[in-house]
Each structure stands twice: as C-alpha cells, then as structure tokens.
Amino acid sequence: MADYDFLGMLEAAVRWIHVFAAILWIGQTYLFNFMERSLEPSEDDNVSGNLWMVHGGGFYLVEKQRLPKIMPMTLHWFKYEALTTWVSGVILITLRYYMGGLLVEPGQSFWIGTGVAVGTILVGWLVYDAMVRSPLGRNERVFAIVGLVLLMAVHFGFLEFLSSRAAFLHIGALLGTIMFLNVWDKILPSQRKMIALAEKGKQPEKSLMATGPLRSKHNSYMVVPLVFIMISNHYPSISYGSDQSTLVLGALLIVGWIAARMFRGS
C-alpha cells in the first residue's frame, strides 16, 4: 500500500474519532446545561433541584445535590470525551499541517511557525487562566471583550508566521486546548476535592464550588464558534481566505457567543 494511502486512511480514521468524540463532549455539555436551567425546586435544603426526563422509552429522575451526602459505588465522570477529542485533534493538526505542508506559506519559516503556533497555544492557556482568576474574571462582559480583542490580535499575529488557513485553524486549536484543560486541570480536580471534603464531613469553599460551573460555562461559549473554525477549510472565501480574515474571525466569535447564550438561556 502506498504511503499516501496509509496516511489518508489514518487521517480518515482519526477524523472520525475526533468528530464523534466532539459530538459526545459537546452534547454532554449542553445536556447538563439543559438540566441546570430546567431543575424544579426541592424541599430538601441539600438538593438544588430535580428533573424528570424521558428518553428511549425510559423515565429518569435527576437530582442535583449541593454536597454529595450519599456516595454511590460507581461515580460516572465525563472526561474521556474531552481527552479523546483533544488528542485526536492534535494528531489531525500534526498530519495535515506539520506533516502535510499546510502550516506555512512559501517564504515563511516552518520552524519559526511551529514555535509561534505551539508556544502561543501554551501561553494562551496561561493567560486565559490568569484572566479567570483575576478580578477581570468576575465581570463577564469585560472578560468577553478582552478575550475577543486578544483572540483577534493573536490571529493577526499568526498571519505573519503561518499560512492564512493555519492561522485560522490554530485559533480553533487554542480554544480547544483551553476547553480541554478547563476539564482536566480545573473542573475534575475541583470535583475530586469537593468529594474528599464531603467524605470528611467538611464544607467546601465557595470558590472551589464555583470552579466547575464557571469553567463549564466558558466551554459552552467557546465551542460554538470553535465548530465553525474547525470546518472553515470548506468555506475559504468567507473565512481564512478573506482579505479581512481577522475581522471575519471577530464577527464569527461574536455571533457564536450570541448563539451560545441563546442555547444556554443565560
């Protein structure tokens, strides 16, 4: 079998895994968002609310506890969908851009482009995390405006070192990495700490309890424009191929965030 056939089959398989894992991850995010805004009040002080649902012929009662008083033998964690989506995404970018010749334009340095792209994604996470933990993170509107300006600035800078297509997609990679690290570096550890404190009969701090909902909310906003960014290679004339691609990106982010607010209801 020719090398290009093998790589094509590998990319097709990884892309299938990537898309399906993303469907599961995004679907769970919005399912839990639906449950959050549909909970009915409960008389139990430790229960934020409960919800009856029907699906596939089955009836389900969901109860949200403020603190886990009854620990089940099996606690289901929603984390591997995020991991699979991110890892498969990294493989796809490597195959298509770093091995497939799409990272830079003629005359641009591959190694400088690689350093800028990878370094910016890593630094982008640190900047985002610092913003969330700073006073800026307590003002949603200002946080969104600053985030919009920074993302557009990063994209504009990318155009100096990456191809227009790679610049657009690596903004998506940056958002996807932030979403992944929100889950694995912030949401999951905070939940584990809450469980450990509950088992000892201790009350978690409010900041610890707020970490998961806040980071999950950010993920639900980032994912809407992210989906279009990741399929933008099919629509170059209205995305990365535009002479005003940075402005197009900014408009796309705004429209995506408005759509996410409509989906969330808040």
Side-chain angles (χ1 to χ4, degrees), residues 2-265:
D3 290 342
Y4 65 84
D5 289 334
F6 172 77
L7 290 177
M9 292 178 61
L10 176 61
E11 182 182 337
V14 174
R15 190 175 299 277
W16 180 86
I17 294 171
H18 181 67
V19 171
F20 192 74
I23 291 172
L24 295 177
W25 184 12
I26 297 168
Q28 288 169 357
T29 297
Y30 277 95
L31 172 61
F32 276 87
N33 174 72
F34 164 78
M35 291 191 292
E36 283 285 348
R37 58 187 173 87
S38 302
L39 291 170
E40 297 181 0
S42 172
E43 296 180 358
D44 190 329
D45 292 337
N46 190 52
V47 177
S48 300
N50 48 53
L51 172 68
W52 277 98
M53 298 189 297
V54 58
H55 181 74
F59 296 88
Y60 303 85
L61 175 61
V62 178
E63 179 182 84
K64 180 183 178 181
Q65 296 184 356
R66 291 187 171 87
L67 293 175
K69 287 187 175 181
I70 302 177
M71 292 301 298
M73 295 182 63
T74 302
L75 182 61
H76 298 280
W77 296 81
F78 296 89
K79 57 183 180 179
Y80 292 113
E81 297 82 1
L83 177 63
T84 303
T85 302
W86 187 79
V87 170
S88 59
V90 170
I91 295 174
L92 280 176
I93 287 180
T94 301
L95 291 174
R96 293 291 291 169
Y97 289 84
Y98 294 88
M99 294 176 59
L102 297 177
L103 184 67
V104 296
E105 303 281 5
Q108 293 177 324
S109 169
F110 172 81
W111 294 111
I112 293 178
T114 298
V116 168
V118 175
T120 301
I121 290 174
L122 296 177
V123 172
W125 159 252
L126 297 177
V127 171
Y128 161 80
D129 185 53
M131 286 173 57
V132 174
R133 292 185 287 105
S134 73
L136 182 65
R138 293 193 286 272
N139 190 316
E140 290 187 352
R141 291 186 177 181
V142 176
F143 183 86
I145 292 172
V146 173
L148 175 65
V149 172
L150 288 177
L151 286 171
M152 291 176 66
V154 169
H155 177 264
F156 187 78
F158 273 164
L159 292 174
E160 294 294 320
F161 304 98
L162 307 176
S163 68
S164 57
R165 177 172 173 175
F168 216 77
L169 184 130
H170 275 75
I171 293 298
L174 170 59
L175 293 175
T177 299
I178 290 174
M179 290 177 58
F180 164 70
L181 290 175
N182 267 344
V183 173
W184 277 80
D185 190 56
K186 299 299 176 181
I187 297 175
L188 295 177
S190 67
Q191 290 174 332
R192 292 191 182 98
K193 291 177 183 178
M194 289 175 60
I195 291 173
L197 290 172
E199 290 176 339
K200 296 178 182 179
K202 298 181 179 179
Q203 178 79 18
E205 297 179 358
K206 290 183 178 180
S207 59
L208 182 62
M209 298 177 66
T211 297
L214 177 62
R215 301 288 179 137
S216 181
K217 182 178 182 178
H218 287 180
N219 280 4
S220 70
Y221 272 86
M222 284 186 280
V223 73
V224 180
L226 171 60
V227 170
F228 186 85
I229 290 173
M230 289 310 192
I231 63 173
S232 62
N233 59 300
H234 296 291
Y235 312 100
S237 63
I238 59 172
S239 58
Y240 68 87
S242 169
D243 293 336
Q244 303 295 330
S245 57
T246 298
L247 295 179
V248 171
L249 174 69
L252 177 61
L253 290 169
I254 293 172
V255 171
W257 291 343
I258 292 174
R261 184 175 180 84
M262 293 173 60
F263 294 154
R264 285 181 51 87

